[in-house]
Structure formats: structure tokens, C-alpha cells
Amino acid sequence: MDTFSQLILAISVTSFLGFQWLFHRASPWVSTRISPGFDVLSDKQKVEWNSRTVSTLHALLVGLFCLYILFFDDLVNEDPVWGDPTLVKINVAITTGYLISDLLLIFYYWKAIGDKFFVLHHLAALYAYYYVLGQGTLPYFANFRLLAEFSTPCVNQRWFFEVLGYPRASRSNMANGVAMAAVFFAVRIAVMPVYYGRMWAVYGTAAYYLVPWGGRVAWIGSSICLDIMNVMWMHKIARGCSRVLRAGKQGQQVHGLKPQLPHPPPQENGKKD
């Protein structure tokens, strides 16, 4: 194993250990100090709270790194199939450590956060990342897919508001709902023409046929399946956002004022995304 491969392995292991520490130690410690409602949540809700906190931190870290690569890594942008994958490998190694960490937590706390869809999603992602980390192929497309992580913080924040008992028509919930719909559309729907345009540009070229058959399946097949789901999710998010905005508008008309920030005691509602 060459020196850089050892570095990538070390980053993945460090990422795994770091996200485990964030889940078990950092998130509970910080949450009790910034959110009084955390202490009265059920054990299952605390598990999901910590899981979503870690998920948000991973999304911001990887998403910002992804943007840097997208705008400043010329080698990857010029050759999307075989461009120098150094920075992309580092970013994917961080995500790989997170996915393995999250899989372990999902299985261990199955009654609280177990979800067959997320297991399949994580395993499919790890399979695709094997070709990036192991063979250095498709760095542009792997990095571009990580843009979708930017929608995660708003989705998680929606759950935080719900579990703390914030009314859906509250100003904070409405603002987050609009942001969630806008960001989801921007990083998962609006980017599709760019993504598939680059895919079409390299399809059938010599560089394309150098990619192993399994890598092409992981690349094209997973992209199409994921984007079908993204369109379905976007439809649901848009409908939900529309309902919340209508409820907020009706509340203003009835009470003659804007919704105020709520201060109710935390509730257990058992709701999940």
C-alpha cells in the first residue's frame, strides 16, 4: 500500500472514530447546554437527536469541501472520469468513515433509528465509493453527488423543531421549511442538467470504457435511481412547504399578527422523517 493510500485509510478510520465520539460524547454534552428540552426527551429521541446532530455536522463539513473542489480543482473539472482524485478521495474518505459509523449506530440502536432504506443507501454509497477510493475513477461525479449533503441540515432542523413541540406555523418552522425546499431544489433538482450533461459528454468515450463495468453500473444506475427519488421527495417537500405557508398566512389573518416564536415545553411526538 502506497503512502497516499495509507493516508486515505487513516482519514477514514479517524473519521469513523471522530463521528462516534461526536455521537456518544460531544452531542449529548453540548445539547444539554444549548437546548433545555434535550434532557426531557425519551431515550429513543435522544438517540435520534444525537444521530441527526452528527449528520448535520458531517453534511456541512463535506459539503463545504465539495464546493471548494467544484470551484477550484481544475484537474477534476477538466477530466471528470480520470482527473487527479486527491482532494476528492480525502472528502470521500471522510464520508466513508461517517457512513460506516452511522451503519454501526443504526444496527445497534435499531429500535430508535433503524431504517432499511438508510441501510441500503449507505451500502450502495460505500459500493460506489470503492471505485473512487480504490481505483481513483469518476472523481468529478462522486464529488458532485456530495452537493446533496447541503439539504441535510434543514431536514434535520425540521425534526428538531417537531420533537421540541414547535408549531408548524411558527415563524422559525416556516423559515426553515422554505429554506429546506429551496436548498433541496438547488442541490438535488436544479443541478441535474449539469450533472447529466457532463455524463453524456463522456459517455462512449475512451475514458468511459476504461471504467470497470461495476463502476459504470454504480455510477449510472445509482444516479438514475437516486434522482427519481429526489424528484419524488421534492414533490412532497413542496407540498408540505405550501401547507405550512398557507397555515401561517391563515394564522396571521385570524389573529391579526405574525406568528411568534414558540416557547412550549418539549413534547414526545414520535415523529420521524
Side-chain angles (χ1 to χ4, degrees):
M1 183 181 294
D2 59 64
T3 303
F4 184 69
S5 296
Q6 292 176 353
L7 174 63
I8 293 301
L9 178 60
I11 291 173
S12 297
V13 172
T14 302
S15 172
F16 170 84
L17 295 175
F19 285 117
Q20 284 287 312
W21 176 79
L22 287 170
F23 176 88
H24 291 287
R25 301 296 182 187
S27 177
W29 187 86
V30 173
S31 297
T32 57
R33 285 158 177 78
I34 66 174
S35 179
F38 177 79
D39 287 332
V40 298
L41 298 179
S42 68
D43 289 340
K44 288 184 178 181
Q45 287 173 328
K46 287 181 178 179
V47 168
E48 185 161 2
W49 178 293
N50 293 328
S51 175
R52 288 179 181 271
T53 299
V54 173
S55 171
T56 296
L57 292 174
H58 164 262
L60 293 174
L61 173 62
V62 170
L64 291 173
F65 198 178
C66 172
L67 280 181
Y68 175 83
I69 295 171
L70 193 63
F71 287 117
F72 300 108
D73 195 334
D74 294 334
L75 293 177
V76 167
N77 292 321
E78 291 172 4
D79 184 355
V81 181
W82 293 102
D84 180 11
T86 300
L87 294 181
V88 174
K89 278 189 174 184
I90 293 174
N91 207 20
V92 169
I94 295 172
T95 296
T96 297
Y98 165 75
L99 291 175
I100 296 174
S101 172
D102 199 47
L103 272 176
L104 179 64
L105 295 173
I106 287 173
F107 287 130
Y108 189 80
Y109 297 104
W110 185 263
K111 291 183 178 180
I113 56 175
D115 189 309
K116 294 179 181 178
F117 169 78
F118 279 110
V119 171
L120 293 174
H121 170 272
H122 287 9
L123 291 176
L126 289 171
Y127 172 69
Y129 290 155
Y130 160 76
Y131 290 96
V132 181
L133 296 178
Q135 303 187 25
T137 187
L138 303 168
Y140 172 88
F141 298 100
N143 185 70
F144 203 99
R145 274 298 173 190
L146 286 175
L147 278 175
E149 290 297 328
F150 275 116
S151 65
T152 299
C154 288
V155 174
N156 287 339
Q157 188 60 48
R158 172 179 173 270
W159 184 87
F160 291 140
F161 282 146
E162 278 198 355
V163 81
L164 290 175
Y166 279 57
R168 290 194 174 185
S170 68
R171 183 182 302 170
S172 51
N173 226 331
M174 290 171 62
N176 181 71
V178 172
M180 180 175 68
V183 174
F184 193 98
F185 177 80
V187 300
R188 293 177 182 257
I189 305 299
V191 297
M192 285 186 188
V194 177
Y195 182 85
Y196 287 104
R198 293 302 299 270
M199 181 186 289
W200 180 253
V202 301
Y203 181 81
T205 64
Y208 169 83
Y209 285 111
L210 288 175
V211 178
W213 182 84
R216 281 179 260 161
V217 171
W219 169 32
I220 299 175
S222 64
S223 293
I224 293 174
C225 292
L226 182 59
D227 284 328
I228 290 174
M229 289 188 291
N230 282 335
V231 171
M232 295 170 61
W233 287 334
M234 184 71 250
H235 177 66
K236 292 182 179 179
I237 289 173
R239 291 180 59 187
C241 182
S242 176
R243 285 197 299 267
V244 170
L245 290 177
R246 285 199 302 268
K249 185 176 181 180
Q250 291 171 359
Q252 292 178 39
Q253 292 173 347
V254 171
H255 299 292
L257 45 79
K258 295 182 179 179
Q260 300 298 309
L261 287 173
H263 299 283
Q267 303 174 8
E268 291 186 15
N269 56 24
K271 294 181 181 178
K272 297 183 179 180
D273 289 326

